[in-house]
Amino acid sequence: MVGGGGLGTLVLLALFFLLGGGGGGTAPAPQNQGQGQHSGQGSEGFDLAQCQREGAVNEIAECRAAATADSLNKIWSGVLPEQANVDYSMPSMQMFKNDVQTGCGFATADTGPFYCPRDKTIYLDVGFYNQLERMGGSDGSLSQMYVVAHEWGHHIQNLEGTLGLSDYNNPGEDSAAVAIELQADCYAGVWASRADKGDDAMLEPITEEQVKQAVQTARAIGDDHIQEQSGRQVNPDAWTHGSSEQRQKLFLTGYQSGSLAKCDTLNRGAYQE
């Protein structure tokens, strides 16, 4: 999982983020499956039409990802203009197997889920979910939804005009790369705080136990924990995504507040409470 340079070069904003969750009952309701910009354009070897079947989003990872996209579009179309005075436009989402050609170049499944700003597309090989569990994460439905929500956060940053500030060639705990990734964690929390609210909510209520699982998983994929797992010494100067403590804190900040102003890791002061 690597990151590229600025917007002028190959940019693969790869996912070190995931948050755990329980299984049954937490997946979004299957509204508008197979429609919208996430509708499987370029989805190789999978027909999203089968997601129309009742219960499919709780059983099929690709269907759950498509339903998550519906929920994210719904939430961000209101939150972004209201709190940031930025018009929202939907990204595309392409599910693939093994490898894929993108607007940012060729990528394999080893890259992990990523967002390409050149074609405004989120790329996802759901086989990555199996890897999450080996990394210490959860294979539950909520965990899989947060994978998508984090990458959606990078699309929001692209719309805000801040995504290009990230420079993975200059890492460190106080780097712009870490600030961008932590903000995407926080944005995923903002989505989660709102996705189970209201009469037309697409998620069933998130439980306290699922939040605890989310925090546990966030800690498991912090840069420091990953360095320890690989047998290296903890080196904050090499961080690109943030420590376990930072990642759990930023997710919880977004989840508990539902406010973009609380996610202002870049200190822009551009948000309304």
Side-chain angles (χ1 to χ4, degrees):
M1 303 177 187
V2 296
L7 293 180
T9 61
L10 176 66
V11 178
L12 297 180
L13 295 174
L15 177 72
F16 275 159
F17 171 86
L18 66 117
L19 291 169
T26 61
Q31 297 182 17
N32 301 320
Q33 300 307 323
Q35 301 178 16
Q37 291 194 28
H38 65 272
S39 60
Q41 52 184 344
S43 297
E44 299 177 10
F46 184 79
D47 181 8
L48 284 178
Q50 64 183 288
C51 297
Q52 300 284 357
R53 178 174 57 81
E54 183 177 355
V57 295
N58 286 309
E59 301 168 6
I60 303 173
E62 288 89 347
C63 298
R64 187 176 299 116
T68 305
D70 283 336
S71 176
L72 284 154
N73 278 320
K74 174 185 172 183
I75 297 301
W76 282 112
S77 64
V79 171
L80 192 61
E82 290 170 3
Q83 296 192 20
N85 197 29
V86 173
D87 291 335
Y88 180 73
S89 61
M90 294 189 298
S92 295
M93 186 171 74
Q94 179 171 332
M95 287 176 272
F96 69 96
K97 298 290 185 183
N98 300 322
D99 54 57
V100 64
Q101 184 66 43
T102 81
C104 295
F106 178 80
T108 69
D110 292 337
T111 304
F114 63 91
Y115 173 70
C116 172
R118 287 185 178 177
D119 58 16
K120 296 182 180 179
T121 299
I122 292 154
Y123 292 90
L124 173 67
D125 182 340
V126 298
F128 178 71
Y129 295 147
N130 296 326
Q131 184 178 346
L132 295 183
E133 191 173 10
R134 294 193 296 271
M135 293 166 61
S138 167
D139 65 350
S141 60
L142 194 58
S143 173
Q144 295 175 8
M145 288 187 283
Y146 281 123
V147 168
V148 181
H150 175 89
E151 297 308 326
W152 226 271
H154 289 315
H155 176 65
I156 299 302
Q157 292 165 334
N158 195 25
L159 296 177
E160 292 181 290
T162 60
L163 186 58
L165 298 175
S166 181
D167 182 0
Y168 293 91
N169 292 319
N170 289 288
E173 58 183 322
D174 297 320
S175 67
V178 167
I180 287 290
E181 293 296 338
L182 291 178
Q183 187 177 57
D185 288 345
C186 193
Y187 282 179
V190 169
W191 165 77
S193 74
R194 296 167 177 268
D196 63 347
K197 306 295 191 300
D199 294 336
D200 56 349
M202 298 184 70
L203 253 62
E204 293 187 5
I206 296 172
T207 68
E208 182 178 349
E209 178 60 28
Q210 289 162 352
V211 173
K212 289 180 180 179
Q213 292 173 337
V215 170
Q216 176 184 350
T217 308
R219 293 188 64 86
I221 43 79
D223 280 332
D224 50 346
H225 183 70
I226 291 173
Q227 288 173 336
E228 290 174 338
Q229 280 193 320
S230 65
R232 293 175 289 165
Q233 290 186 335
V234 173
N235 178 15
D237 291 337
W239 291 355
T240 58
H241 286 66
S243 69
S244 296
E245 186 69 26
Q246 288 174 314
R247 305 205 71 166
Q248 73 164 36
K249 178 181 178 181
L250 265 294
F251 164 71
L252 286 173
T253 295
Y255 180 72
Q256 293 169 351
S257 69
S259 170
L260 299 187
K262 302 299 184 183
C263 299
D264 192 10
T265 58
L266 297 171
N267 298 314
R268 298 171 61 230
Y271 306 105
Q272 300 178 15
E273 293 283 355

